[in-house]
Amino acid sequence: MEQNPPLTPVFPSRLPEVGTTVFTVMSALATKHQAINLGQGFPDFPCDRELISEVNAAMLADHNQYPPMTGVAELREGVAEKISDLYSHHYDPDTEITITAGGTQGILTAILSCVSPGDEVVIIEPAYDSYRPSIELAGGITVAVSLLANRNDHGCVTSYSIPWDDLAKAINSKTRLIIINTPHNPTGMVWQSSDLDRLANLVRNTSALVLSDEVYEHMVFDGQSHISVANHPELAARSFLISSFGKTFHVTGWKVGYVAAPADMMKEFRKVHQFNVFTVNTPMQYGIAKYLKKADHYLGLPSFYQAKRDYFSKGLEQVGFKLLPVAATYFQCANYTTLDIAQSKMNEAEFCTWLTSEIGVAAIPVSAFYAKPMESGVIRFCFAKKEETLSAALARLQTLSKRN
């Protein structure tokens, strides 16, 4: 007699609105159609062999057991020195810096450490997709405002700007946290010193904290400098600063980052950190600590990525895309609605699906960075690729200009 298989109990989802991310979907589609993947944001070129050697040396030196919960001292000290040199703010490496398993873990832990059920958290959309689920796991309420989409006389989005009026209206006595992202993914815009001044004015008489996602801090172009919350003493006193070695050193798979915050905030952060990840890969920490001592390893990134931006953007313009300004990051946003093809009438998700399956180049719809898709005819390409990869992608995209 056949027995029914054991049943798995049904339980309510903690994240009922969350499905498979657009990045996973588009990457799978790219693989299926052998498309060049300019969707998900990771390099296809190797990291510096010197960094690999430093990690190997750490392994051979038997740095293979649990490190301190807060991170290897040499790395925390290196982070403190880097922040001080670049942004003129000193964080105590013992009490104000923690090494994390990437930027995303730092974001989640920061949110869990300060947001209680019913607290409001303000985000600015389009936004990195981990923000909202992290807030929901903490029991917080997401209050989203949208960047202002600046349009030309033909209705095409040409740039974005901070929605100061909406941001001011969103902040109230229930606001526990405001999340900002500069340089910004996906648009590539950056906050200026005057923007941080305006934010400080908004929060000055409140108890709201700030989480500043700065994982692209070393990819700012055209002679500009990254403006960090660490540059602004008033904001630094109430902010979590998040950054990522994975982004900076082309090792996204290592998942190593850091968080800096005032001691009282970091004390609460570490209470959560010690129980959701506890420690971060030991030899990677020692290797990065050694590699970080040479500032050229990150100070040279702007020119490295600016050359890739300029090469790729020139090719996209020749195809007929209308490009949005890219002040930073390794993402190029492009408006496809002016292309002289029938598919230019598609919505962003449809266009990216068609582009991947028919043209063989994967991109990400900017509408995916909103909780409720907002159509602007803009898609995002990642140019953190070898020149031959970008060249091959541009060759495929050139067929768009020959379809009619």
Side-chain angles (χ1 to χ4, degrees):
M1 181 176 178
E2 292 186 8
Q3 293 183 337
N4 292 326
L7 296 177
T8 300
V10 177
F11 59 93
S13 173
R14 293 295 311 280
L15 296 170
E17 303 301 320
V18 172
T20 305
T21 70
V22 67
F23 309 103
T24 300
V25 171
M26 296 308 299
S27 291
L29 193 65
T31 300
K32 178 181 178 180
H33 293 281
Q34 298 183 314
I36 297 170
N37 191 353
L38 302 186
Q40 197 165 2
F42 57 83
D44 70 344
F45 47 82
C47 68
D48 190 346
R49 299 297 94 174
E50 181 182 344
L51 177 55
I52 298 290
S53 296
E54 295 290 5
V55 172
N56 284 340
M59 290 181 178
L60 293 172
D62 291 328
H63 292 305
N64 300 306
Q65 307 307 323
Y66 293 132
M69 179 268 289
T70 57
V72 168
E74 291 93 324
L75 185 53
R76 286 183 282 114
E77 290 163 1
V79 169
E81 183 177 351
K82 179 174 80 80
I83 293 174
S84 179
D85 289 345
L86 293 176
Y87 310 129
S88 302
H89 183 88
H90 177 71
Y91 288 97
D92 186 326
D94 291 330
T95 61
E96 298 184 318
I97 292 173
T98 299
I99 306 304
T100 60
T104 302
Q105 184 250 311
I107 291 166
L108 172 62
T109 302
I111 291 170
L112 291 176
S113 73
C114 67
V115 175
S116 298
D119 285 347
E120 294 185 359
V121 181
V122 178
I123 68 172
I124 304 174
E125 292 184 322
Y128 180 50
D129 63 351
S130 87
Y131 297 163
R132 191 180 287 266
S134 299
I135 296 164
E136 292 176 5
L137 287 173
I141 299 169
T142 303
V143 178
V145 299
S146 296
L147 288 177
L148 299 176
N150 305 312
R151 299 176 184 268
N152 62 18
D153 292 341
H154 302 289
C156 293
V157 174
T158 57
S159 64
Y160 296 91
S161 53
I162 300 168
W164 288 111
D165 291 343
D166 291 341
L167 194 56
K169 293 174 183 176
I171 299 171
N172 58 59
S173 60
K174 296 180 181 179
T175 304
R176 171 60 58 219
L177 185 67
I178 302 162
I179 301 179
I180 67 173
N181 177 205
T182 179
H184 184 253
N185 174 23
T187 68
M189 67 171 288
V190 296
W191 286 50
Q192 306 295 337
S193 295
S194 58
D195 296 320
L196 293 185
D197 287 340
R198 293 187 71 169
L199 179 61
N201 288 337
L202 291 180
V203 301
R204 182 168 295 125
N205 296 317
T206 76
S207 58
L209 305 175
V210 174
L211 186 158
S212 186
D213 179 354
E214 303 182 16
V215 299
Y216 298 99
E217 62 176 317
H218 298 301
M219 303 168 202
V220 181
F221 310 134
D222 304 314
Q224 294 190 69
S225 297
H226 171 59
I227 307 299
S228 170
V229 288
N231 285 116
H232 198 289
E234 186 176 358
L235 288 179
R238 63 170 77 212
S239 295
F240 295 102
L241 187 164
I242 314 286
S243 195
S244 164
F245 293 116
K247 294 290 192 296
T248 300
F249 294 142
H250 323 309
V251 287
T252 59
W254 290 10
K255 298 300 292 179
V256 183
Y258 62 86
V259 175
D264 287 344
M265 293 171 62
M266 186 55 69
K267 181 179 179 181
E268 297 304 312
F269 179 95
R270 288 175 174 178
K271 288 179 182 179
V272 177
H273 174 80
Q274 68 182 333
F275 293 119
N276 73 356
V277 69
F278 182 54
T279 59
V280 177
N281 190 298
T282 303
M284 265 65 171
Q285 289 194 59
Y286 278 101
I288 292 171
K290 293 284 189 182
Y291 192 74
L292 193 62
K293 293 181 183 295
K294 297 181 181 178
D296 288 349
H297 289 149
Y298 51 87
L299 294 180
L301 278 186
S303 59
F304 174 78
Y305 275 118
Q306 183 172 328
K308 291 184 178 296
R309 179 201 67 174
D310 293 348
Y311 174 81
F312 187 56
S313 62
K314 181 179 179 181
L316 287 179
E317 286 181 325
Q318 291 173 350
V319 172
F321 285 100
K322 298 301 181 185
L323 305 186
L324 280 68
V326 182
T329 76
Y330 47 48
F331 301 116
Q332 173 68 65
C333 284
N335 193 308
Y336 63 85
T337 61
T338 56
L339 292 173
D340 189 22
I341 55 175
Q343 291 79 10
S344 66
K345 306 301 181 184
M346 290 178 169
N347 68 34
E348 293 171 24
E350 292 169 342
F351 184 82
C352 285
T353 299
W354 173 80
L355 194 70
T356 304
S357 60
E358 299 299 324
I359 305 302
V361 178
I364 297 292
V366 169
S367 59
F369 292 83
Y370 295 84
K372 297 179 180 179
M374 182 178 295
E375 295 294 330
S376 57
V378 177
I379 60 177
R380 189 198 77 175
F381 294 101
C382 173
F383 56 79
K385 309 295 178 183
K386 293 178 287 191
E387 185 168 319
E388 52 262 42
T389 303
L390 296 176
S391 178
L394 289 170
R396 295 185 182 189
L397 292 170
Q398 280 289 345
T399 63
L400 295 175
S401 61
K402 301 173 184 176
R403 295 183 74 86
N404 285 341

